[in-house]
Amino acid sequence: MEVLMILLFLACLAVLYFKPQKEGLAFLLFWCATGLCFFMYMVGSINAILPNMTY
């Protein structure tokens, strides 16, 4: 999952560098990668060993 997130961020930068007129696609890739990062954080925090609000 982390590799997929990094690949999405790199694809976002590649689209902006090689095809700047397709900034809508780059924005979509950026939000997909950010959403994946948020999803991984939520899954990790739900399954944490520590009780809630102790970290």
Side-chain angles (χ1 to χ4, degrees), residues 15-40:
V15 167
L16 283 176
Y17 184 75
F18 292 112
K19 300 272 188 185
Q21 66 272 20
K22 294 197 176 239
E23 66 181 39
L25 175 62
F27 192 65
L28 177 69
L29 290 171
F30 174 78
W31 278 114
C32 287
T34 304
L36 185 61
C37 185
F38 178 74
F39 175 74
M40 288 189 303

Side-chain angles (χ1 to χ4, degrees), residues 5 9-10 13-14 19-21 26 29-31 34 37-38 41-42 44 47 49 52-54:
M5 182 185 64
F9 278 126
L10 288 176
L13 290 175
K19 300 272 188 185
Q21 66 272 20
L29 290 171
F30 174 78
W31 278 114
T34 304
C37 185
F38 178 74
Y41 170 76
M42 292 304 287
N47 297 327
I49 296 172
N52 198 12
M53 304 299 288
T54 59

